[in-house]
Every structure is written in structure tokens, then in C-alpha cells.
Amino acid sequence: MKEKFIKALESNNLGEMRKIPKGDLHNHSSIGGNKRYIEEWAGVSIPKPPNFKGLDDMQQWYRQNIKLLIKGTLGYEKLIEAAFVQAKMDGVKVLNMSFGIGEVVWYDNSVDNMVQALKRIHQSFAPEVLFIPEIALSSFTPIDEINKKLNQFLGQNYFKSIDMYGDEFAVPTFKKIFRKAKEKGLILKAHVGEFGTAELIREAVEELELDQVQHGIAAANSQSVMRWLCDNKIQLNVCPTSNILLSRVESYKVHPIRKLYDNGIKVTINTDDMLIFDQSVSQEFFNLYNAGLFNGNELNEIRENSLNLIRENR
Ligand SMILES: [Zn+2]
């Protein structure tokens, strides 16, 4: 497979690249789907996103350009469908995709009904994709509400990982919640080092006992944090285009994933919010290769990281 992967890169052949097995371990489901699939369904064209000043700016753009098109449970399910369709089309064999606990509102607050729907959509649109369902917690949701809903989500024994996102400084308030998820055997992840510092990444990994970090690119600013992440085998699930469009990184050419890789950190390449950023895992490999950031061998090693990970954690 390595030879085929490198050949696809060298010949800039997207069709061949799509046939190579890949993982997507950082995907926000309802905004992680194929843009054209949603455009066709909604009968509109979604504009190309600008460079955002930050998350608020992106969310505002999303509300104005995409959210308006999506209505009710059927709309929500179409978004999830678009994410499975996208993964299948792109040769994603391992899809670790997250679902906000608030999304249960589309199922009259029945987590059971939500899980049944996810199973049905997975089986209908991408049964061959190994799907690792993930619980997503926002730091802006009151802790009491999280605790109440989380018990219902964990009680399903369906979700295999958990992720938190929002304010990177809110990490300590999630300590108990993450211990509970750990007892249940979930893979622990959090969004840190996207906007915050290298030190915050280390603190989050220690406090929450994380297995993986979503983004974590700020680690590249600290030799000691990189060393620590490497020694503790913490994987960073990086999303290059997301970092560029959210103005965290200037270009693919100077993306810190190179430095993280050179410092022995296990990294993977992922999509984050494909409905907005519109770059698949395959395209991200081309983005980094064509910018001269990695050679084919290195990118293949990174590709295999996404596939190995699941074997280790199952
Ligand atoms: Zn993310």
C-alpha cells in the first residue's frame, strides 16, 4: 500500500489516493460532511469560506451560510449522512467522529433513539467504514447538564471516545468527568493547543489523563513539551487546513506539524469541519506534499498512524 500511496502523491492523482486506506480521527460529524452533497440536497451553493479571525468568526459564518439550510431532525441526519458519504468516498477506513451531547435534542432527548439513528445511518451509507463514535463536550455547557446527559451517553456502551472543546482554560473543571469516562474505558481527547499555549497542552494531558490531543499544534513552541508528549506517547490529531483558515498557521509550507513530527511526536492528519473547510484527508496529504513539507515515506507513516491507533485501543 505504501508504494501505491507514494505513487498517488507523485502523480498528483486524487482518484488513486482515495483508494488508499486512511483514518479521520478528528471530525465533528454534523459539520464534517461533504459540502457538495449538502449543496445538492439543499439546492443552493455554499460560498467558499474566508480566512476566519477565530472560532466566533467561523461560527457566525456557519450560521449565516450553512445552518439556515438545515432544519429539524431530518436536516441533522442529512448532515451525519454527508459525513459518512464523505468518509466512504475518500477511502477513510477508520472514522472517529464526535457528537455533541446537546444533539440529543433532535431525538426528544432520548439518547437511545439518537444511538439507533447513528447506527442506522452508518449501516446505510458506509457499513465498511470502521466507525468509532465519540462524545463531544463543550466547555460552554453547564457542568450539571453535562453530568446528567453524560450518564445517559455512557450508559449506552456505544461511544468509544470522549472529547472536550471550547475554552482551553476550562480543562480543570472536566477532571471528574474524564475520570468517569476513563473508568468506562473510553479513549480520552481534548481540543488544546489550537489557540492556547504549549504549557496548557501539558496541563490538559496531565489533568484529564488524555490519550490524544485534538490539534495541539502550540506544542511546537516548546522543546520541553514536545519531549514530554513524545516520551508519553501522546498523539496529536492535526487538521492543517482548519489551522490555516482559522488564522493559526500562515500556510502549509510553515505548518508546525513538521516540527512536531521531527521531535518524535505521533501525529495524524484529519479534516475537523469539512463542510466548512472543504479539504478531505486525501487532499490534506496532497496539501502537505505539494508544499514540500513532507516526503511520501513520511506521509505514509503519518497515514498509518491513524490506522494503527485503533488496533492498539481496541
Ligand atoms: Zn476540532
Side-chain angles (χ1 to χ4, degrees):
M1 204 48 81
K2 179 179 165 182
E3 285 70 31
K4 277 190 180 170
F5 175 77
I6 294 174
K7 207 173 155 204
L9 279 175
E10 286 171 352
S11 55
N12 209 15
N13 189 330
L14 181 61
E16 286 302 311
M17 179 57 82
R18 283 178 174 159
K19 294 180 193 160
I20 317 269
K22 290 168 285 285
D24 191 359
L25 310 180
H26 183 160
N27 177 315
H28 295 274
S29 65
S30 60
I31 40 173
N34 184 282
K35 189 170 164 177
R36 275 144 303 280
Y37 195 77
I38 293 300
E39 284 179 327
E40 220 162 90
W41 168 73
V44 295
S45 130
I46 301 168
K48 216 172 164 286
N51 272 48
F52 301 112
K53 289 185 205 85
L55 280 181
D56 288 345
D57 197 20
M58 182 187 97
Q59 272 150 7
Q60 197 187 342
W61 185 89
Y62 172 77
R63 280 195 294 272
Q64 286 167 352
N65 295 285
I66 301 178
K67 202 172 178 220
L68 292 170
L69 313 169
I70 316 298
K71 297 210 167 59
T73 308
L74 281 181
Y76 173 73
E77 292 192 350
K78 192 52 78 173
L79 293 173
I80 306 303
E81 185 181 309
F84 279 114
V85 166
Q86 169 57 36
K88 182 178 172 176
M89 186 176 76
D90 199 40
V92 168
K93 297 292 177 206
V94 177
L95 178 63
N96 190 186
M97 189 155 76
S98 72
F99 300 85
I101 54 171
E103 291 167 25
V104 70
V105 72
W106 298 118
Y107 298 92
D108 292 330
N109 288 313
S110 161
V111 182
D112 193 42
N113 287 350
M114 179 172 168
V115 167
Q116 294 314 317
L118 296 181
K119 284 182 181 170
R120 174 174 46 78
I121 302 168
H122 172 216
Q123 285 311 316
S124 307
F125 293 92
E128 59 277 83
V129 172
L130 175 61
F131 171 44
I132 317 287
E134 178 169 287
I135 300 167
L137 308 175
S138 163
S139 67
F140 303 112
T141 308
I143 288 289
D144 286 353
E145 197 184 320
I146 289 182
N147 269 316
K148 210 173 107 196
K149 284 209 174 91
L150 186 65
N151 286 336
Q152 296 169 31
F153 273 79
L154 292 176
Q156 290 285 329
N157 292 320
Y158 175 67
F159 296 92
K160 303 283 188 290
S161 61
I162 191 162
D163 175 27
M164 74 145 284
Y165 66 95
D167 179 5
E168 296 185 21
F169 285 97
V171 159
T173 54
F174 282 80
K175 198 168 172 165
K176 273 193 186 159
I177 289 168
F178 270 62
R179 288 295 183 283
K180 203 192 280 180
K182 189 174 180 161
E183 276 168 30
K184 278 274 188 181
L186 271 66
I187 301 168
L188 310 183
K189 304 159 83 172
H191 277 62
V192 272
E194 180 186 13
F195 294 93
T197 62
E199 285 66 33
L200 270 182
I201 300 172
R202 182 178 173 150
E203 276 170 41
V205 173
E206 285 185 321
E207 286 273 311
L208 304 183
E209 299 188 16
L210 302 178
D211 302 296
Q212 301 170 24
V213 169
Q214 305 291 68
H215 296 296
I217 53 170
N221 298 325
S222 163
Q223 208 59 45
S224 68
V225 171
M226 283 194 287
R227 180 71 190 268
W228 186 85
L229 290 171
C230 174
D231 289 348
N232 288 285
K233 298 189 169 55
I234 305 300
Q235 176 168 292
L236 306 188
N237 298 322
V238 179
C239 310
T241 299
S242 165
N243 299 145
I244 293 170
L245 287 181
L246 280 164
S247 307
R248 308 315 301 158
V249 172
E250 210 183 300
S251 66
Y252 299 114
K253 237 186 177 69
V254 298
H255 196 289
I257 191 173
R258 177 75 231 186
K259 199 169 173 187
L260 298 167
Y261 173 89
D262 285 338
N263 280 274
I265 297 172
K266 203 169 176 186
V267 291
T268 64
I269 290 170
N270 311 279
T271 59
D272 210 0
D273 307 322
M274 233 200 107
L275 193 54
I276 301 173
F277 305 132
D278 202 19
Q279 290 294 292
S280 64
V281 182
S282 291
Q283 285 169 309
E284 292 287 33
F285 281 123
F286 284 118
N287 291 336
L288 300 181
Y289 182 78
N290 294 334
L293 200 64
F294 289 107
N295 66 34
N297 267 316
E298 292 164 338
L299 285 174
N300 188 60
E301 186 191 323
I302 292 172
R303 176 184 72 85
E304 287 179 345
N305 284 343
S306 314
L307 302 169
N308 288 340
L309 169 89
I310 299 307
R311 263 175 243 137
E312 282 167 20
N313 278 291
R314 259 193 302 188

